[in-house]
Amino acid sequence: MRSRSNSGVRLDYYQRIVHRLILAHQEPVTGLFPASNVNSHAWIRDNVYCILAVWGLSMAYKKIADQDEDRAKCYELEQSCVKLMRGLLMAMMNQKDKVEKFKMTQSPYDSLHAKYSSKNGLPVVGDNEWGHLQIDAVSLYLLILAQMTASGLQIVFSLDEVSFIQNLVFYIESAYSIPDYGIWERGDKTNHGEPELNASSIGMAKAALEAMNELDLFGARGGPASVIHVLADEAHKCQAVLQSMLPRESNSKELDSGLLCVIGFPAFAVDDAQLIHNTKDAILSRLQGKYGCKRFLRDGYRTPKEDPSRLYYERWELRMFENIECEWPLFYCYLILFHAFQNDKRSVEEYASRLEKIMVRSEDGILLVPESYAVPQDLVGFEYQKPGSQLREVVGRCPFLWGQSLFILGRLLQEGFLAVGELDPLNRRLGAQKKPDVVVQVVIIAEDNEIRDKLAEHDLHVQTIAEVAPIEVQPARVLSHLYTYLGRNRKLGLSGRKSRDVGILSTSKLYSLKDRIFAFTPQFADLSRFYIASDNELMIDILKGEINFLKSAWDLLGRPLVTLVLKRIHLDQDKIPLAMIQTMRKLKSGYINGTRVMLGSLKDFLNTSAITDLSFLGSTEDGYPDRLHPDVQTYLDEHLLRSFSNRSTMSLRGGQLRPRTLRRRMSCKGAIKKTRSINVDSDNLGMEGPSPLTERRLSSIVPPPWLQANKQSHVSVFATTPEEGPASSPLQHLGNELSVRENIYPVDPHHSRSAIDRRSEFVRQQEMPKILIQRHRAETNFAETEVEELIAMLRETENLEEQGDILQYLVDTQGLDFNTGMLEEGRVVTVRDLLKGLYEKACQQKLWGLVRHTAGMLGKRVEDLAKAVTDLLVRQKQVTVGMPPNNEHTITAPLPEVELRQLIHDAYGDDESTAMLTQELMVYLAMFIRTEPQLFHEMLRLRVGLIIQVMAKELSRTLNCDGEAASEHLLNLSPFEMKNLLYHILSGKEFAVSSVARGNLSIVSCKSSRVSKKSQIGLGDPEGEDALVATIDDRQGQWLRRRRLDGALNRVPRDFYSRVWTVLEKCQGLAIEGRVLQQSLTQEMTPGELKFALEVETALNQIPQPEYRQLVVEALMVLTLVTEHNMVPTLGGIIYVEHLVHKANQLFLEDQRKVQGDATLCCAKIKDGKEQQQAASGMLLCGGAAYICQHLYDSAPSGSYGTMTYMSRAVALVLDCVPKHGEMECAIS
């Protein structure tokens, strides 16, 4: 036998170690590793990590295999890897029904098990006896499966197994919105079995999705059928959420060492080098100890203070675990690998020497990695006093195979037997390197020749749909349907992809199917979806956003390709809208908003675009892989005919019925307006106000007053009110009820003004039971004739607003499915059909108020609503809908579309317009949080109801009009202007309103030159004096407005919540608006924990008035300054925060009296009897919220008369603990 080279001898040494420590434990039947000699359970995660050392060693042997026996050893090691990976695959395939169910329910009880029996691969505990839902474990399996396959191992044997793996991809693709139990199987750290969103799971899933994309599971020998497909957008969603969470792990764990496997080997899931650095530094500074790292703060596992008799912790006992958490050497192994991949030799050596000091030597001299180190029972007291000072002892398994395996990998890298690229054949480690700029290709296609010619007039030359053949252009929904065939398998009972969502990354590729090539238009351009899509300006805005998104998110081969079809429906009065022409010119110039673009035709871009093969549409299961699946064939054939043909819209004119005589015009005017519930006039934003009569909403079930016992057949609709009784003649009102209200639309003097507008009605009608309407309808003889008259009017009137009022009234009395007696092409026409026709016309004529209202009545919902809400929630923002304080509903977890819509409509009663507006705003908020997350810093809850009120209030301020007109203007803003206004409110930028033709308003930033002096003040043209007042006023209410905005947006100063935690530590509690935050919260939660922030936030949300809420936040900030400067050892008992604010208000008024300030006109007046009475009835002269003078709200925080000064004085006076005498340094920073 020839002598071995040194490297061969050293490898043989590692082979013996791997054999003794790892392979000796592998079960011969299943290939799985039991947890220990006494526990035969095999965890997916631990098993995959265990085998990594074996895989690494096999690749090291492959390189030096100069002798047959080395090749044999190499093969033997490789087969052990295959055996284990297949063992896990079999165990999971036995639970294929769970995979199928989980795609629908995403319930923890339907998830794959986290551990199996190592003897036979069967389940070992029940579905609900363990925290099985651990997405990171399944993701880790898929990631390593992809890496091993890429390194040349053959693990998957049959096409059925391929479809199972494809379904595992669907299983993890929504990881960004599925709370799970995470890498430590605990969920919430109190261990009560509540799953939460974990960054480590999302990161691992993102890595697995990227690694699996376009991977051939049969390696070099495979064909199109064995390729796995991943929709790039799903991986990107995981990435976006991961980036918004790091370095936080979850709501209850502000930091977790488990994130090391996400920022480094094996996942390499983060693309941002700075974020990787920040996360690693946070872990090292707060979790690293002498014996490894703690898993997370206040981790009680295996500490001497843990009660081993129960699984869960009491909330108060978490504080006991602080500073005595176990330290895990495992993380040193991760850090060695992390630095080895960074090629940072010094750090590798440093951690290797640290690790060696804490490893345990076995009898035969092998170094073992223990599971963890704990503080001995008798030294706990000393460790509390001086953390990190005491010697610790090994607890748990030794060797801990997960750590041992990573240690061996690290050694093989250090000694040069392996290169980092061999452990990462898919090159995931290069993700964080800088990429070249992406060029986005844009193709514009005309629907027909006419539109093509119109574009040619503007020097824009495009092709028509017919001319781009043989490439076929389809809407995104076709792609979404084709993807449902992916992963279907009859034998295994697997149904393919469930989610219908295809994002911009998926539609920016070309797709080949046999010899056909498809291009898909993006999802946002699909017009059937929602009324937002018929606002051209908004669509252009979204397009710019998507192009910008492609620039940062695109990482596939080839360039992204955005295909847009310009249709008839986009034309504005038969012209191409100016905004579109301008955008196309910008695209033609080669740059748009800083992104490089190329405008061209499809055939030019064939060679430079990404092309994906849709080979999974073949009938592989029936033995005809080359033929299309019959269902797909029929779908495509049908769809190609239909996809871009125009639908005819219902016409309201012309029907079989002409009225016998033209009857006198009746009027339903104002039927829509009465459903509105945005309340702006009351000064207390969001308050119901002292009297219960403020605008509540009118319930649509209520029978109209004129139905009550009134048998005359010519009664004018809405002409009498119950107070006046049915006796008074309906015609009297026509004269005196002419509309005086501000209305953008011309007022027809024949209309009586709706009398139900009277306030007193609202309350009484709210209590009317729902059954009334049936009885009344039975009694009234004229209902039939009346409906005929209304329908006749409906045909005569050209005014869409009027049609809307008539239809609203018909819906209220007869219901949506009422048969109107008209026929259209032989079909019966219901009220719903007429509404649809009206909705489509309103969309074309851009009457947005009407569009929103009819959309609400038709029960339309924004198609991306659930997705939008999820986008907000997964970035740790909770959402509330409805008007505070009584009707606010908080959404804390993702909900299905239908439930969301129901929740929103419950919150707004019958106010369809505001309910629609809420859905719309949620979509805009989600757009902003994706593109400009910085707008949402320091905001935990987005209160959409308050935001709507603030928007209306801002409009009424800018336009100088009353609340009703303002909410009318708000609901008539076009979607683009609505998004714009929301942006200005979120970013706090000043804006002005300029009026555009047809009564539409446009929101412009104040720096913009488009604003003339006149338009800044309002739509009307007030006389000179008023105009002057308005401009002065603007400057005056500046701080009040700012506090109102910040309060409504729930914005708080930086690190506010963690600073409140330090205040709580020093007092017994903080009382806010009747809710007490107890000191015990500091026992349960760490300062940076999201759960703590939400507790504080919930207390603050009890305060209905935004500006008052902001003063309370300021008072809390003053308290934090007191604690941070250690002025006093303790703050005493429960602190009533509002008491501080009111005390500050008193001091302010005293000062105002001394200097004769503005407040002497209202609150600082010397009181006489009349004033006393007013104050008692709850009204302040100046209209300030919560008995605080308006002028205090409007003071700047700093300065000698600033709010902070008064707050500090109030704190000094109210708290007993602050010394009353002697010198004290008092500087307000």
Side-chain angles (χ1 to χ4, degrees):
M1 200 179 122
R2 273 184 314 146
S3 65
R4 304 273 286 154
S5 61
N6 282 344
S7 56
V9 174
R10 189 75 180 141
L11 269 188
D12 290 346
Y13 164 70
Y14 280 120
Q15 195 253 337
R16 284 197 298 279
I17 290 181
V18 165
H19 194 271
R20 279 170 77 171
L21 297 184
I22 298 177
L23 292 177
H25 299 290
Q26 190 170 20
E27 281 287 343
V29 179
T30 56
L32 302 178
F33 293 105
S36 67
N37 300 336
V38 287
N39 178 353
S40 66
H41 297 181
W43 271 262
I44 298 180
R45 182 185 308 101
D46 297 48
N47 270 259
V48 173
Y49 275 122
C50 282
I51 207 70
L52 285 180
V54 181
W55 176 50
L57 190 61
S58 76
M59 291 190 289
Y61 264 116
K62 204 184 244 169
K63 279 203 295 203
I64 66 147
D66 50 350
Q67 297 171 10
D68 288 349
E69 58 188 274
D70 289 343
R71 288 195 199 98
K73 278 179 187 156
C74 168
Y75 184 71
E76 198 184 313
L77 292 165
E78 284 180 347
Q79 291 315 101
S80 297
C81 297
V82 174
K83 176 94 180 166
L84 172 102
M85 295 302 275
R86 289 194 58 76
L88 287 173
L89 181 62
M90 294 309 112
M92 289 191 272
M93 282 182 79
N94 282 333
Q95 297 197 313
K96 55 187 182 298
D97 309 343
K98 287 183 164 299
V99 174
E100 183 55 33
K101 244 166 106 183
F102 185 81
K103 285 191 295 192
M104 294 303 288
T105 63
Q106 296 185 347
S107 142
Y109 300 134
D110 293 331
S111 70
L112 285 171
H113 281 196
K115 56 180 187 175
Y116 299 97
S117 157
S118 60
K119 301 268 188 288
N120 53 20
L122 296 176
V124 281
V125 285
D127 291 352
N128 48 5
E129 294 164 18
W130 195 260
H132 282 301
L133 178 50
Q134 297 167 28
I135 292 176
D136 74 302
V138 179
S139 303
L140 175 73
Y141 175 80
L142 290 176
L143 170 67
I144 300 303
L145 173 70
Q147 293 278 27
M148 285 182 172
T149 306
S151 78
L153 296 189
Q154 171 92 40
I155 293 167
V156 175
F157 291 175
S158 71
L159 286 177
D160 293 326
E161 290 173 8
V162 173
S163 17
F164 180 74
I165 302 263
Q166 179 67 66
N167 278 276
L168 283 186
V169 168
F170 301 145
Y171 179 92
I172 63 168
E173 76 178 356
S174 307
Y176 63 92
S177 63
I178 303 177
D180 70 342
Y181 293 101
I183 187 170
W184 309 125
E185 309 193 289
R186 302 209 139 191
D188 185 300
K189 72 174 168 202
T190 49
N191 220 11
H192 282 258
E194 302 158 23
E196 47 181 9
L197 216 50
N198 290 295
S200 52
S201 295
I202 297 172
M204 201 50 89
K206 181 230 176 199
L209 289 171
E210 289 180 341
M212 274 286 159
N213 192 16
E214 304 296 321
L215 178 82
D216 192 330
L217 287 177
F218 291 174
R221 306 191 190 86
S226 52
V227 175
I228 295 291
H229 298 268
V230 178
L231 276 83
D233 299 274
E234 304 297 331
H236 193 271
K237 280 182 211 156
C238 289
Q239 172 179 337
V241 175
L242 177 66
Q243 288 194 317
S244 73
M245 288 178 79
L246 289 178
R248 182 190 299 287
E249 158 75 351
S250 67
N251 283 4
S252 69
K253 308 196 232 340
E254 54 176 294
L255 200 58
D256 191 316
S257 297
L259 290 170
L260 286 171
C261 66
V262 169
I263 59 173
F265 180 83
F268 302 106
V270 186
D271 297 352
D272 175 351
Q274 190 54 50
L275 192 56
I276 294 177
H277 183 74
N278 296 350
T279 307
K280 185 191 70 141
D281 282 1
I283 291 172
L284 295 185
S285 61
R286 303 193 57 191
L287 298 174
Q288 182 177 326
K290 271 194 290 202
Y291 296 89
C293 299
K294 304 166 179 177
R295 298 191 304 179
F296 48 87
L297 298 171
R298 296 189 179 180
D299 167 20
Y301 183 56
R302 293 220 177 105
T303 55
K305 290 280 188 190
E306 184 184 44
D307 175 353
S309 64
R310 56 188 158 93
L311 262 178
Y312 61 92
Y313 303 130
E314 298 298 346
R315 306 210 172 257
W316 52 264
E317 64 180 343
L318 286 172
R319 185 73 188 253
M320 302 190 313
F321 304 136
E322 198 161 307
N323 296 328
I324 60 162
E325 304 98 333
C326 290
E327 292 176 0
W328 295 58
L330 163 73
F331 298 113
Y332 278 165
C333 303
Y334 273 118
L335 283 163
I336 290 173
L337 290 171
F338 178 88
H339 290 294
F341 275 88
Q342 301 263 353
N343 200 11
D344 174 355
K345 293 202 171 62
R346 234 186 66 225
S347 304
V348 171
E349 279 162 21
E350 180 198 335
Y351 283 108
S353 69
R354 281 188 181 200
L355 182 57
E356 246 160 74
K357 286 181 196 142
I358 53 173
M359 287 173 78
V360 178
R361 236 173 234 291
S362 67
E363 288 114 48
D364 41 14
I366 299 178
L367 286 174
L368 307 180
V369 178
E371 186 166 3
S372 58
Y373 278 93
V375 181
Q377 182 74 50
D378 49 346
L379 299 176
V380 168
F382 301 112
E383 182 72 15
Y384 276 145
Q385 284 164 11
K386 194 175 173 204
S389 58
Q390 304 303 308
L391 289 173
R392 295 179 173 231
E393 59 191 14
V394 172
V395 289
R397 293 165 282 183
C398 183
F400 179 45
L401 292 188
W402 173 354
Q404 192 74 37
S405 171
L406 292 180
F407 167 69
I408 292 171
L409 272 189
R411 268 304 178 72
L412 291 172
L413 283 171
Q414 280 163 280
E415 298 186 20
F417 290 118
L418 277 180
V420 286
E422 288 172 290
L423 282 180
D424 176 29
L426 292 169
N427 294 329
R428 297 202 44 76
R429 63 194 182 288
L430 308 176
Q433 296 185 359
K434 201 165 160 18
K435 301 178 188 62
D437 276 352
V438 172
V439 179
V440 181
Q441 306 171 142
V442 184
V443 173
I444 292 169
I445 296 176
E447 187 176 33
D448 53 28
N449 296 348
E450 195 183 332
I451 293 182
R452 179 192 63 185
D453 300 342
K454 285 195 162 109
L455 279 171
E457 291 168 24
H458 296 277
D459 196 30
L460 295 161
H461 302 289
V462 301
Q463 293 179 305
T464 61
I465 293 185
E467 289 168 346
V468 296
I471 301 175
E472 300 168 46
V473 180
Q474 294 287 353
R477 55 175 183 273
V478 176
L479 181 61
S480 143
H481 182 84
L482 294 180
Y483 264 119
T484 56
Y485 290 91
L486 182 57
R488 285 194 189 182
N489 187 303
R490 283 197 301 271
K491 277 196 267 181
L492 291 172
L494 296 170
S495 66
R497 186 169 190 260
K498 281 287 179 282
S499 155
R500 307 290 302 200
D501 188 44
V502 285
I504 185 81
L505 293 171
S506 305
T507 53
S508 299
K509 301 195 272 192
L510 291 172
Y511 289 85
S512 63
L513 180 55
K514 304 291 167 266
D515 41 10
R516 298 153 79 172
I517 293 185
F518 290 96
F520 293 99
T521 57
Q523 214 170 0
F524 72 82
D526 207 342
L527 257 178
S528 63
R529 292 162 59 97
F530 192 59
Y531 63 79
I532 313 188
S534 50
D535 180 9
N536 294 326
E537 287 197 66
L538 183 72
M539 295 318 284
I540 289 170
D541 192 51
I542 295 177
L543 170 68
K544 288 178 182 164
E546 300 281 287
I547 288 179
N548 205 11
F549 169 77
L550 282 172
K551 171 176 139 184
S552 58
W554 184 262
D555 56 358
L556 305 168
L557 289 172
R559 291 173 172 175
L561 171 74
V562 182
T563 312
L564 300 166
V565 176
L566 191 61
K567 307 183 195 175
R568 277 283 163 81
I569 202 161
H570 292 137
L571 298 183
D572 193 8
Q573 295 159 351
D574 222 32
K575 286 210 240 350
I576 293 170
L578 183 64
M580 286 196 170
I581 297 292
Q582 288 170 336
T583 310
M584 288 184 209
R585 292 209 167 118
K586 258 197 192 147
L587 290 169
K588 204 171 159 185
S589 75
Y591 270 97
I592 187 159
N593 294 6
T595 306
R596 275 196 62 198
V597 286
M598 279 179 80
L599 193 60
S601 66
L602 274 177
K603 60 175 191 304
D604 303 344
F605 293 146
L606 266 180
N607 298 333
T608 51
S609 305
I611 298 192
T612 297
D613 189 14
L614 294 174
S615 51
F616 57 85
L617 296 172
S619 323
T620 316
E621 282 199 272
D622 301 326
Y624 296 110
D626 299 337
R627 268 193 222 162
L628 272 188
H629 196 292
D631 302 354
V632 179
Q633 190 65 58
T634 31
Y635 175 77
L636 283 176
D637 293 346
E638 278 175 28
H639 213 280
L640 293 185
L641 302 173
R642 276 198 330 232
S643 63
F644 283 116
S645 62
N646 288 337
R647 286 177 306 146
S648 61
T649 53
M650 276 278 330
S651 106
L652 291 176
R653 329 209 49 73
Q656 277 51 27
L657 250 161
R658 283 311 296 155
R660 291 180 291 288
T661 57
L662 270 182
R663 300 194 176 88
R664 181 179 56 65
R665 304 199 64 164
M666 304 155 61
S667 165
C668 303
K669 178 154 180 54
I672 289 186
K673 239 185 198 167
K674 276 189 293 306
T675 60
R676 303 274 157 85
S677 69
I678 304 178
N679 161 23
V680 185
D681 288 336
S682 105
D683 262 309
N684 308 349
L685 244 195
M687 272 300 264
E688 296 296 53
S691 72
L693 298 188
T694 21
E695 283 197 66
R696 286 313 309 128
R697 50 190 73 84
L698 174 63
S699 149
S700 65
I701 328 288
V702 174
W706 44 266
L707 267 183
Q708 292 166 7
N710 198 337
K711 305 281 191 288
Q712 300 158 308
S713 63
H714 65 275
V715 159
S716 143
V717 184
F718 291 152
T720 55
T721 61
E723 287 104 320
E724 290 155 327
S728 57
S729 136
L731 291 173
Q732 285 176 353
H733 300 287
L734 283 178
N736 57 18
E737 289 244 338
L738 282 184
S739 170
V740 210
R741 106 179 38 173
E742 239 188 276
N743 200 333
I744 312 185
Y745 304 97
V747 175
D748 180 345
H750 298 304
H751 289 331
S752 65
R753 179 163 167 226
S754 72
I756 290 192
D757 261 3
R758 314 256 159 118
R759 297 278 177 272
S760 57
E761 233 10 5
F762 279 99
V763 174
R764 204 185 45 245
Q765 307 220 343
Q766 247 183 317
E767 283 111 43
M768 283 198 182
K770 304 191 171 185
I771 317 107
L772 277 180
I773 179 101
Q774 300 305 328
R775 200 177 65 231
H776 277 288
R777 205 187 296 167
E779 290 172 10
T780 51
N781 315 331
F782 64 88
E784 303 312 313
T785 50
E786 194 213 19
V787 167
E788 282 184 24
E789 283 195 32
L790 283 175
I791 288 171
M793 278 174 54
L794 195 58
R795 289 215 199 76
E796 288 157 34
T797 173
E798 283 287 343
N799 182 344
L800 293 190
E801 295 283 319
E802 241 174 76
Q803 294 181 6
D805 282 338
I806 295 171
L807 288 174
Q808 167 74 40
Y809 170 68
L810 277 174
V811 171
D812 285 352
T813 55
Q814 315 289 343
L816 273 174
D817 295 315
F818 174 72
N819 177 355
T820 58
M822 296 197 230
L823 290 172
E824 168 103 11
E825 296 166 4
R827 276 187 317 112
V828 177
V829 175
T830 60
V831 177
R832 183 191 304 267
D833 297 328
L834 294 178
L835 260 180
K836 278 184 184 152
L838 177 65
Y839 166 76
E840 287 172 3
K841 275 195 186 159
C843 276
Q844 280 163 13
Q845 296 188 21
K846 315 272 188 258
L847 299 170
W848 297 112
L850 190 56
V851 168
R852 287 189 176 98
H853 190 81
T854 45
M857 285 166 69
L858 286 167
K860 286 191 175 298
R861 56 172 191 259
V862 187
E863 285 185 25
D864 293 344
L865 183 62
K867 205 173 101 200
V869 172
T870 305
D871 275 337
L872 294 165
L873 292 173
V874 295
R875 288 173 175 79
Q876 298 92 59
K877 309 285 174 222
Q878 296 192 345
V879 186
T880 70
V881 294
M883 300 294 178
N886 303 339
N887 274 326
E888 217 174 5
H889 300 276
T890 306
I891 305 171
T892 54
L895 292 173
E897 298 279 287
V898 191
E899 283 179 43
L900 265 177
R901 190 190 139 72
Q902 198 46 54
L903 181 80
I904 292 174
H905 282 253
D906 293 348
Y908 295 103
D910 298 320
D911 182 2
E912 300 289 359
S913 315
T914 315
M916 265 349 261
L917 182 56
T918 298
Q919 297 192 31
E920 197 182 317
L921 289 178
M922 284 171 155
V923 171
Y924 301 152
L925 285 167
M927 284 179 190
F928 288 140
I929 204 164
R930 284 194 294 262
T931 54
E932 306 192 46
Q934 72 280 4
L935 288 176
F936 296 84
H937 279 335
E938 312 301 333
M939 287 157 61
L940 277 182
R941 274 206 181 103
L942 303 168
R943 301 167 77 184
V944 184
L946 263 188
I947 291 179
I948 293 178
Q949 288 186 345
V950 168
M951 286 167 92
K953 201 136 195 174
E954 285 288 280
L955 277 183
S956 92
R957 182 183 66 86
T958 335
L959 295 174
N960 263 2
C961 58
D962 67 343
E964 191 170 347
S967 55
E968 211 38 46
H969 285 319
L970 178 68
L971 288 166
N972 276 298
L973 283 180
S974 77
F976 174 68
E977 298 302 347
M978 188 71 77
K979 179 176 176 227
N980 215 340
L981 177 60
L982 177 64
Y983 178 78
H984 280 89
I985 280 177
L986 281 178
S987 58
K989 289 191 173 126
E990 291 289 332
F991 67 93
V993 178
S994 64
S995 119
V996 183
R998 286 212 306 225
N1000 286 351
L1001 306 178
S1002 142
I1003 310 290
V1004 239
S1005 290
C1006 270
K1007 298 189 189 65
S1008 153
S1009 54
R1010 274 169 58 192
V1011 189
S1012 66
K1013 271 287 164 277
K1014 192 173 93 185
S1015 68
Q1016 221 154 359
I1017 286 154
L1019 283 183
D1021 195 356
E1023 299 309 306
E1025 278 171 58
D1026 287 1
L1028 197 71
V1029 174
T1031 21
I1032 295 172
D1033 244 14
D1034 244 18
R1035 199 173 55 243
Q1036 203 179 1
Q1038 191 182 345
W1039 281 103
L1040 166 66
R1041 173 172 168 262
R1042 220 176 124 175
R1043 287 196 170 98
R1044 204 170 262 163
L1045 282 183
D1046 283 347
L1049 294 170
N1050 286 9
R1051 214 176 239 136
V1052 293
R1054 279 194 62 166
D1055 302 329
F1056 171 72
Y1057 299 108
S1058 52
R1059 293 163 84 172
V1060 171
W1061 191 92
T1062 55
V1063 175
L1064 254 191
E1065 229 184 354
K1066 293 204 172 176
C1067 65
Q1068 279 165 23
L1070 292 167
I1072 300 171
E1073 195 70 21
R1075 273 193 79 132
V1076 181
L1077 293 169
Q1078 297 287 357
Q1079 186 181 17
S1080 62
L1081 285 177
T1082 59
Q1083 306 287 322
E1084 284 175 44
M1085 304 171 191
T1086 52
E1089 203 170 303
L1090 204 60
K1091 276 174 31 187
F1092 176 74
L1094 287 169
E1095 290 283 339
V1096 179
E1097 170 80 8
T1098 309
L1100 286 171
N1101 277 0
Q1102 301 296 311
I1103 305 175
Q1105 311 91 330
E1107 55 269 53
Y1108 182 42
R1109 174 201 156 104
Q1110 273 324 85
L1111 282 187
V1112 171
V1113 168
E1114 287 176 36
L1116 284 168
M1117 283 308 283
V1118 171
L1119 285 173
T1120 62
L1121 293 172
V1122 174
T1123 52
E1124 280 166 18
H1125 293 297
N1126 279 335
M1127 294 179 173
V1128 286
T1130 159
L1131 295 173
I1134 290 184
I1135 299 173
Y1136 293 89
V1137 186
E1138 289 114 299
H1139 187 175
L1140 297 176
V1141 179
H1142 285 282
K1143 188 73 187 165
N1145 188 42
Q1146 271 177 349
L1147 297 168
F1148 170 73
L1149 295 179
E1150 283 165 21
D1151 278 7
Q1152 286 285 309
R1153 288 195 194 102
K1154 285 181 199 152
V1155 299
Q1156 290 296 307
D1158 291 346
T1160 47
L1161 299 174
C1162 51
C1163 305
K1165 259 187 180 169
I1166 312 301
K1167 296 190 169 165
D1168 53 30
K1170 188 171 146 221
E1171 240 91 277
Q1172 292 276 307
Q1173 205 177 354
Q1174 237 185 345
S1177 72
M1179 293 301 289
L1180 289 183
L1181 272 180
C1182 58
Y1187 301 104
I1188 303 285
C1189 179
Q1190 194 86 357
H1191 293 287
L1192 179 63
Y1193 285 126
D1194 204 20
S1195 313
S1198 53
S1200 53
Y1201 293 106
T1203 50
M1204 290 305 250
T1205 313
Y1206 291 111
M1207 294 282 181
S1208 312
R1209 284 168 57 188
V1211 169
L1213 289 169
V1214 174
L1215 296 186
D1216 313 330
C1217 55
V1218 180
K1220 297 280 181 282
H1221 307 292
E1223 291 297 306
M1224 249 187 116
E1225 181 65 28
C1226 187
I1228 300 295
S1229 55

